[in-house]
Amino acid sequence: MGMIFFCSPIVSIFTDMFGCRITAVGGAAVGLVGLLASSFVKSLGVMYFTYGIVFACGCSFAYQPSLVILGHYFKKRLGLVNGIVTAGSGIFTVTLPFVLSELLEKVGLQNTLRVFCILMFGLILAGFTYKPLLPSKPAETQTGFRLSQIFNMNIWKSVGYRIWAFGIPAALYGYYVPYVHLMNHVQERFGTDANKEILLLCIGITSCLGRFIFGSVADFVKGSNKVFLQVLSFLIIGVMSMMIPLCHIFGGLIAVCLLMGLFDGCFICIMAPIAFELVGAKDVSQAIGFLLGLMSVPMVAGPPIAGFLRDKLGSYDLAFYLAGIPPIIGGAVLCLIPWVEARNRRKQKKEGLSKEQDVSQKMIEMEKAPEDAKKKIGDSYDEIPKQCNISKTHTKASPQHYAATTVFHGGAF
């Protein structure tokens, strides 16, 4: 999982360079090769490479374009669409453990991996359906793609995105601790006979429901205020993590897992809509990619730290208490984003009004200029008879003097 997210910044660059279709199909093909190679490996050390690196990198290249391509087709219902698409992982979280148990028991590990190669092949076919609709960036030059378009710095100009890219990883140091250590904690607390698989089932079902529910809700929340849904998610998940050691009844753990799954679905399904709001559709690929890359560090670091505490203290209690703190802190940091974005909008509106006033003033001055010029010319006509000591009556009565005045005027102007 850490490798999938760690590769995301590179995936975003490939997506900008080659498009969603080529990136997704190529990634699924690499994942298929890694998974198939893993089925022939009999050494764990080699499997670290074939499964942990090759297969993970392929999955990373196949995963991210599936989020980016949605923005090409949907805008008003982007939250709901992301909820529907990401609900697939929730559905498989519910069904896959049972399927895996049956396959491993009947056909063994190597043949199980070969069976799942069928899913990777299906992913290749699905990637061919990605047809971008938004205009591509004019990025190609004689020497290839310009450096500024390979490494898109526009995303970092958004203060809201910078806060988001810091707050999300900060929250994830404790986010995945329950998912990794909950099963062992249940065995220690309730014994090996406890039906711990039911907890994963609860998380999977409510996570799937949460993606539908909060994906729809996000469509009715305007602008960067969608961030408050993620803040709520982190707050609930942080509190639930702290509640795990306090549950001495198995039913209490079920209730905790139901809530955790529901708001996990909320957190996941609105990531792409928030990225679209903060940086825009043209820059969203690298915005998502760099965020996922930053997320890989806490994803990898958090659970081992919790395991270290368990080994030293002989209990997971302190690990779960501490795991609830980072999501709460990260959620508090994210609260700054709507305020920053609102301030930027007011500033831009003020600058826009100032520019409009400047333009209006210039237009008024331009309109007054011809009138002033006509007035000056008229005054000049009135001054000419005076300068020549010719009266108006005399100019009307004497055509010769009128001709002389006209010659003078023509020569002067």
Side-chain angles (χ1 to χ4, degrees):
M1 288 300 297
M3 198 67 191
I4 289 175
F5 283 75
F6 182 76
C7 293
S8 294
I10 302 172
V11 177
S12 65
I13 294 172
F14 272 76
T15 303
D16 284 345
M17 291 174 63
F18 304 110
C20 294
R21 179 185 295 173
I22 293 176
T23 304
V25 172
V30 171
L32 175 60
V33 171
L35 193 60
L36 187 61
S38 299
S39 69
F40 293 97
V41 170
K42 296 183 180 179
S43 169
L44 186 61
V46 179
M47 189 172 283
Y48 283 146
F49 173 74
T50 58
Y51 189 86
I53 295 180
V54 178
F55 174 62
C57 288
C59 289
S60 183
F61 275 77
Y63 168 66
Q64 191 176 321
S66 70
L67 300 179
V68 176
I69 194 65
L70 298 178
H72 290 251
Y73 288 84
F74 302 94
K75 187 174 181 180
K76 291 183 179 180
R77 299 298 181 195
L78 187 59
L80 177 59
V81 170
N82 271 275
I84 294 172
V85 171
T86 57
S89 61
I91 294 172
F92 272 82
T93 300
V94 174
T95 58
L96 205 57
F98 301 102
V99 176
L100 276 172
S101 297
E102 290 294 322
L103 286 173
L104 288 170
E105 184 179 346
K106 293 182 179 179
V107 300
L109 174 62
Q110 292 178 326
N111 287 325
T112 297
L113 293 175
R114 291 165 192 162
V115 169
F116 280 103
C117 286
I118 299 172
L119 294 178
M120 295 304 298
F121 181 73
L123 202 57
I124 294 175
L125 299 180
F128 280 110
T129 65
Y130 294 175
K131 182 181 179 182
L133 298 182
L134 295 177
S136 58
K137 299 178 182 179
E140 206 164 0
T141 63
Q142 292 180 352
T143 58
F145 288 89
R146 291 198 297 267
L147 186 64
S148 61
Q149 289 165 331
I150 293 176
F151 299 100
N152 188 350
M153 301 306 295
N154 289 332
I155 60 176
W156 302 106
K157 294 178 181 178
S158 169
V159 179
Y161 177 77
R162 294 203 298 267
I163 297 172
W164 196 50
F166 171 78
I168 296 290
L172 293 184
Y173 276 98
Y175 189 94
Y176 285 99
V177 170
Y179 294 91
V180 175
H181 295 291
L182 182 60
M183 298 298 99
N184 289 336
H185 171 72
V186 170
Q187 285 187 342
E188 292 181 0
R189 176 67 61 86
F190 299 99
T192 56
D193 294 334
N195 190 11
K196 57 184 182 295
E197 288 80 9
I198 194 68
L199 298 178
L200 289 177
L201 186 66
C202 291
I203 292 175
I205 291 174
T206 53
S207 178
C208 185
L209 289 175
R211 299 176 200 207
F212 285 111
I213 294 170
F214 289 102
S216 301
V217 171
D219 291 330
F220 297 98
V221 180
K222 295 182 179 180
S224 58
N225 289 332
K226 292 181 176 68
V227 172
F228 286 127
L229 292 175
Q230 281 194 331
V231 172
L232 179 63
S233 300
F234 285 142
L235 178 63
I236 298 297
I237 289 173
V239 172
M240 291 301 104
S241 295
M242 294 178 174
M243 291 291 293
I244 289 174
L246 301 176
C247 293
H248 296 279
I249 301 174
F250 193 75
L253 274 181
I254 291 177
V256 166
C257 289
L258 288 172
L259 278 173
M260 287 184 66
L262 185 68
F263 286 94
D264 171 74
C266 174
F267 162 67
I268 291 172
C269 76
I270 60 173
M271 281 184 63
I274 291 174
F276 275 94
E277 292 286 350
L278 293 179
V279 302
K282 292 183 178 180
D283 299 323
V284 75
S285 176
Q286 293 200 29
I288 294 175
F290 277 101
L291 177 68
L292 296 180
L294 293 170
M295 286 169 56
S296 66
V297 176
M299 282 181 65
V300 174
I305 293 172
F308 174 79
L309 291 174
R310 157 64 182 81
D311 292 338
K312 290 296 182 180
L313 302 176
S315 170
Y316 282 107
D317 290 0
L318 182 61
F320 285 122
Y321 288 135
L322 294 178
I325 297 175
I328 296 174
I329 294 175
V333 171
L334 295 184
C335 289
L336 296 174
I337 296 176
W339 175 75
V340 168
E341 290 295 306
R343 187 188 66 176
N344 288 340
R345 284 194 297 270
R346 288 194 298 268
K347 184 178 178 181
Q348 292 173 359
K349 186 177 180 180
K350 186 177 180 180
E351 291 176 353
L353 289 173
S354 178
K355 289 180 180 179
E356 288 180 4
Q357 290 175 354
D358 292 341
V359 171
S360 300
Q361 185 65 29
K362 288 180 180 179
M363 291 179 67
I364 291 171
E365 291 175 357
M366 290 175 65
E367 290 175 357
K368 289 177 67 178
E371 295 178 0
D372 293 341
K374 290 179 181 179
K375 187 176 180 181
K376 288 180 180 179
I377 293 172
D379 292 342
S380 299
Y381 275 112
D382 292 337
E383 290 293 330
I384 289 170
K386 295 178 182 178
Q387 294 172 0
C388 298
N389 294 321
I390 301 172
S391 66
K392 292 184 179 179
T393 56
H394 189 69
T395 55
K396 290 181 180 178
S398 177
Q400 292 84 0
H401 289 153
Y402 177 76
T405 304
T406 305
V407 171
F408 174 81
H409 172 69
F413 294 94

